[in-house]
Amino acid sequence: MLSAQEQLKGVVLETSSGKEMPLPGANVYWLSSSVGAITNEDGTFTLPYKFSYNKLVVSYVGFKSDTITISENKYIRHILQASDELDAVEITSRKQATRKSYLQAANTFTVTSAELLKAACCNLAESFETNPSIDVNFADAISGSKQIKMLGLNSPYILIATENIPAIRGASQAYGLSFIPGTWVESIQITKGTGSVVNGFESIAGQINAEMVKPTTDDKLFVNLYGASSERLELNTHINTKVSDKWSTGLYVHGNTHQEKHDVNDDGFLDMPMYNQINVMNRWQYTNPEKGVVSFINLRYLNDEKQAGQVDFDPQRDKGTTNYWGSEIDTERFEITTKLGYVNPEIPYQSLGFQTAFSHHQQDSYFGLNQYDIKHNSFYSNLVYNSIISDSRHKIKTGVSFTYDHYNELVNNHNNALLNNTTYKRTENSVGGFFEYAFDNLDKLSLTAGMRVDQHNKLGFFVTPRLHVRYTPWEKSALRASIGRGKRSANIFAENQNIFSSSRQINILNSEGKIYGLDPEIAWNYGISYLQGFNLFDRKADVTFDFYRTDFQNQVVVDWENPYEVNFYNLEGDSYANSFQFEFNYNAFEHFDVRMAYKYYDIQTDYISGKLEKPLVPKHRLFANASYETEIKNNGQWKFDATYNWLSGQRFPSTDLSALQFQLADETPTVGTLNLQVTKVFSPKFEVYLGGENVTNVRQDNPVVSADNPFGSNFDSNFVYGPIYGSMYYAGLRFRIK
């Protein structure tokens, strides 16, 4: 190890709108050496120092590179200036709303706030409409909830975190994405393939981490008011205050409501539920740079109420009867999270981070005559130590984590006497340790190799290995490969609540496993990706090819192939998901960017009835996004965004056993949707936006099977492949005081 006197630390900044801001991802290295570092999210860096190192190079695309003469070891505070000599291509690259790295070992890209504003993303589930790597679709035709997929796999196979604390899991899987308001999100980091062992063992298809806005960098006052033609109303208010030199606090209030009944297709069912949500977060931030301490404390309360079902359903009159089919989903959630980060002022390459999160989640719900209630208490803690070996090219992370989850579920499936007011209670806890080594020579090669071991009271003792490698064969290129293992317990009811919005009998066919009689899910994920940047007609462009395969050693199969049943059982045979994606980004002319993508899925599972493609997953998807911004004049500008999605036909689950009038085709029609948004920025303080979703008015006919007899044996709301309601237009305003 090097001594404390042999380390140089500092921060790299940029000037934006007259305000100094951290510049993450900047290169800092000693001239004529291979020793360097990349600035962190807060712009800081540390790297080895010795007397012979006297020229420090600081560079970032779109900025003038600087070479600083270092005569003594003292803290460096340097502001990079935007380059006037670089051509428009490079300047535009700095403004890209989605940032891709040529240097990271993992296939990770960052969705910035600029990308999030391309659509009125009112919650996290709606934040991926302009991203080709994430698929967004309705879970069913009743609840109005949206689910996301990555690499063709549903969100339970994705580790979804807020500030690297697992957040959407357990009881919150079905609706939790709608519980995180979009304005609370500062940026989103998306990693394809298995994530880091630091964050746990559950990630299989990828990792999504949402960084939240912070009291010290967010606006003092921010107001976002949104209204839609469906009579959906939302209000977001942020109030941030500096309490002292070291303490700052923020109050974030979100409310949304929709109380209008819509039945455009005249099937007697609401096209979208009626709901109310109140979501409040109080965030405290402590910063003490002299002692190297940064800390966050978050307190959050949520109350969410939904009513869905037939138009004439009145819960006061019809709940628990067969008068009209209706559903209510009432959720109350409280959580407290803490983060403590410490950087040793004497040994700056050493840092310690400690995270804790406690949540209480209670959902009371019914779907016609079916009932599902869940109470979930969860505790999570993670201690992470960071250091280097020899120099900053060799970094290590190690630590321990602890998780505790207690579930209490009440399940009533009126078509199965075995699930008549059945209570499932279980406690899961695990203790794990991890070690991760990262090598980065800032030139040709970087890799991250991690291993963790866990002792779980239900899953036993197991090892989780993961590896990410990046190689640069030539300029502006990144060839990546990854391999990793994931393991998880399937919360079959919480993750598949759409099963209750049907007349199907729910069956669990295994009884020997420790969780609902089922064994844990285990899968390996393999991936390869290639990113190449180049100039096309003197404008910047890049292409990405990636292929990922997920192989399940065991999977809890959700079998919809009998129209009168949904069956859960352990995999016997093969189950795999192949995902191929091609993406092209091009700055066609100044301030105009185009993104196009093609995606192919091959997802197959051995069901009881044989090997079949996964239902309701399109094999082919085309995506296109175009955005244009005018020049800023008198502090104002216009912004235009358009997003098009086309989905190929999707396999319907078998309906061969249904009566003839309820049998569906083998495959769905193709679907194409277009979203548009125009934003007028009047000043840095005020802007308005106007947009439309599904402006071509595409709508699935008869999404509810047997809608005229919802208590009959053929009723089902799970054959959803496209938009349930037609065009929806919205308008809103944003006001901020910096």
Side-chain angles (χ1 to χ4, degrees), residues 111-140:
V111 179
T112 69
S113 57
E115 181 74 30
L116 297 175
L117 294 179
K118 286 185 176 182
C121 47
C122 300
N123 57 58
L124 192 59
E126 298 168 315
S127 298
F128 303 102
E129 300 286 354
T130 62
N131 190 296
S133 295
I134 306 294
D135 301 311
V136 184
N137 59 286
F138 286 100
D140 56 71

Side-chain angles (χ1 to χ4, degrees), residues 12 17 26 34 69 90 100 109 122 124 201 209 223 231 240 252 317 346 359 474 500 506 521 534 729:
V12 179
S17 301
S34 59
T69 300
E90 291 178 306
K100 297 181 178 179
F109 53 94
C122 300
L124 192 59
F201 53 80
N209 178 58
V223 177
E231 300 190 46
N240 294 284
Y252 308 90
R317 178 193 65 201
E346 300 299 323
S359 65
W474 43 72
F500 297 108
I506 302 170
E521 297 190 296
F534 58 95
Y729 297 93

Side-chain angles (χ1 to χ4, degrees), residues 52-73:
S52 59
Y53 293 156
N54 55 13
K55 299 289 185 181
L56 185 69
V57 180
V58 184
S59 66
Y60 192 82
V61 176
F63 291 80
K64 294 179 180 178
S65 296
D66 289 334
T67 301
I68 308 168
T69 300
I70 305 296
S71 57
E72 59 180 319
N73 187 355

Side-chain angles (χ1 to χ4, degrees), residues 640-652:
F640 303 89
D641 293 285
T643 303
Y644 178 76
N645 273 288
W646 179 85
L647 308 178
S648 68
Q650 307 166 47
R651 187 182 75 84
F652 271 132

Side-chain angles (χ1 to χ4, degrees), residues 19 56 60 75 83 91-92 141 168 250 286 288 296 345 370 373 378 442 532 537 551 622 672:
K19 183 178 180 181
L56 185 69
Y60 192 82
Y75 192 84
S83 176
I91 294 174
T92 301
I168 310 300
Y286 174 83
N288 189 332
F296 292 93
N370 294 326
D373 298 340
S378 175
L442 293 178
Q532 179 66 59
F537 304 116
D551 273 317
L622 296 175

Side-chain angles (χ1 to χ4, degrees), residues 330-386:
D330 296 336
T331 304
E332 189 170 41
R333 181 180 176 91
F334 171 79
E335 62 184 52
I336 176 170
T337 62
T338 66
K339 294 180 66 176
L340 175 63
Y342 170 73
V343 178
N344 190 334
E346 300 299 323
I347 311 176
Y349 58 80
Q350 290 185 354
S351 66
L352 193 68
F354 183 58
Q355 303 168 313
T356 67
F358 170 78
S359 65
H360 169 78
H361 184 111
Q362 181 163 342
Q363 175 189 317
D364 298 318
S365 54
Y366 62 90
F367 308 81
L369 298 179
N370 294 326
Q371 181 181 358
Y372 179 63
D373 298 340
I374 180 170
K375 182 185 294 183
H376 178 195
N377 290 322
S378 175
F379 178 78
Y380 167 87
S381 63
N382 198 22
L383 179 67
V384 186
Y385 171 75
N386 295 267

Side-chain angles (χ1 to χ4, degrees), residues 38-49:
I38 299 173
T39 56
N40 299 318
E41 288 293 325
D42 58 358
T44 60
F45 68 89
T46 61
L47 73 167
Y49 171 79

Side-chain angles (χ1 to χ4, degrees), residues 467-540:
L467 174 67
H468 298 267
V469 180
R470 184 271 307 173
Y471 175 69
T472 299
W474 43 72
E475 187 180 3
K476 293 184 179 179
S477 66
L479 178 64
R480 294 182 171 93
S482 66
I483 182 173
R485 184 179 188 264
K487 190 171 184 177
R488 63 182 298 272
S489 54
N491 292 283
I492 59 174
F493 300 117
E495 296 168 4
N496 301 279
Q497 294 190 37
N498 53 319
I499 62 179
F500 297 108
S501 296
S502 73
S503 292
R504 293 174 182 253
Q505 177 176 308
I506 302 170
N507 302 312
I508 303 174
L509 303 187
N510 296 92
S511 59
E512 300 301 319
K514 293 185 177 181
I515 304 170
Y516 309 106
L518 299 164
D519 294 329
E521 297 190 296
I522 304 172
W524 284 86
N525 182 279
Y526 319 87
I528 187 168
S529 173
Y530 179 69
L531 168 64
Q532 179 66 59
F534 58 95
N535 287 339
L536 180 63
F537 304 116
D538 293 324
R539 311 297 299 184
K540 185 174 181 180

